[in-house]
């Protein structure tokens, strides 16, 4: 029993690496410094959730092959959210409720992002980004830039090899490409 607990799980390690790459892409400073996303827990959640949604869209394309891996990545996301809430001092009795609200928000956003991306509707995608990421504060046109980035990321991820993804390697585009297209 103890040996089983100590044994490495390559699939879990790959899903963790995959999730860490998503977090790294979401933590780059461009959306916060240049596009006006609030650099607070809500803004960081929104940027991370958008990256997760794009990554999970890619995994969904090969659902039969990637279903278990996708679930592991999703689980890593919510384990991380749980850890972050606890680090922020949220008590045990409240963490579950907050995680449930985050999951509901995530699924709601997933539907809205998917609909806009599937339809190829740039205006709808920008509206989804403006509503979820920026609220009413989008003076710098950040929603348009972030929506362009997400569309570019979605296209780029669709071209990435499934086996490479299942080994925990995912590459997101540079933010500057979206910024250059709109300035």
């Amino acid at each position: 029993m103890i040996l089983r607990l100590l044994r490495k799980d390559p699939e879990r390690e790959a899903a963790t690496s995959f999730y860490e790459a998503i977090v790294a892409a979401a933590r780059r400073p461009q959306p916060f410094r240049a596009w006006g996303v609030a650099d607070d827990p809500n803004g960081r959640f929104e940027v991370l959730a958008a990256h997760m949604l794009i990554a999970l869209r890619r995994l969904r394309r090969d659902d039969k092959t990637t279903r278990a891996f996708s679930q592991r990545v999703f689980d890593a996301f919510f384990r991380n959210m749980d850890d972050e809430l606890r680090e922020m001092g949220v008590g045990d009795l409240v963490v579950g409720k907050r995680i449930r609200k985050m999951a509901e928000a995530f699924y709601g956003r997933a539907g809205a992002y998917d609909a806009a991306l599937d339809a190829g509707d740039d205006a709808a995608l920008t509206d989804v980004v403006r509503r979820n990421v920026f609220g009413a504060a989008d003076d710098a046109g950040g929603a348009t830039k972030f929506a362009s980035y997400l569309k570019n990321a979605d296209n780029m991820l669709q071209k990435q090899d499934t086996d490479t993804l299942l080994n925990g390697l995912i590459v997101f585009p540079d933010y500057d490409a979206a910024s250059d297209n709109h300035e």
Side-chain angles (χ1 to χ4, degrees):
M1 169 88 170
I2 291 177
L3 290 177
R4 202 172 90 213
L5 293 174
L6 297 175
R7 197 174 333 151
K8 289 189 177 195
D9 181 350
E11 291 174 6
R12 183 176 180 163
E13 288 177 5
T16 299
S17 293
F18 189 89
Y19 177 69
E20 288 170 352
I22 294 168
V23 170
R27 294 297 176 251
R28 293 180 289 181
Q30 182 79 19
F32 307 101
R33 289 188 186 157
W35 298 346
V37 175
D39 192 4
D40 62 17
N42 289 334
R44 289 189 292 273
F45 172 78
E46 292 297 343
V47 173
L48 177 58
H51 281 81
M52 274 293 295
L53 293 163
I54 296 298
L56 293 175
R57 274 177 62 84
R58 168 55 187 92
L59 292 175
R60 210 170 41 240
R61 187 184 87 196
D62 299 316
D63 188 49
K64 289 180 182 171
T65 307
T66 61
R67 180 174 288 162
F69 183 78
S70 182
Q71 184 62 53
R72 285 178 180 257
V73 172
F74 185 81
D75 292 347
F77 174 51
F78 278 99
R79 265 193 317 276
N80 178 245
M81 293 298 99
D82 184 281
D83 292 345
E84 293 292 326
L85 287 171
R86 291 175 193 282
E87 283 181 26
M88 291 173 21
V90 175
D92 289 342
L93 297 175
V94 180
V95 168
K97 291 176 185 175
R98 291 257 183 103
I99 292 293
R100 187 173 47 252
K101 278 187 170 185
M102 288 174 146
E104 290 170 0
F106 182 82
Y107 283 118
R109 283 154 179 73
Y113 280 106
D114 280 343
L117 286 164
D118 289 346
D121 188 340
D122 293 349
L125 182 58
T126 299
D127 186 53
V128 170
V129 169
R130 184 175 292 112
R131 189 174 58 247
N132 291 302
V133 179
F134 291 89
D138 181 24
D139 298 334
T144 301
K145 294 170 188 169
F146 194 54
S148 177
Y149 166 78
L150 292 175
K151 182 178 176 182
N152 186 24
D154 188 52
N155 290 332
M156 182 177 175
L157 268 58
Q158 292 302 325
K159 297 173 186 167
Q160 291 181 28
D161 178 66
T162 302
D163 289 334
T164 301
L165 295 172
L166 291 172
N167 283 313
L169 303 171
I170 184 171
V171 178
F172 285 88
D174 189 21
Y175 281 121
D176 292 333
S179 196
D180 292 342
N181 291 335
H182 292 87
E183 289 183 341

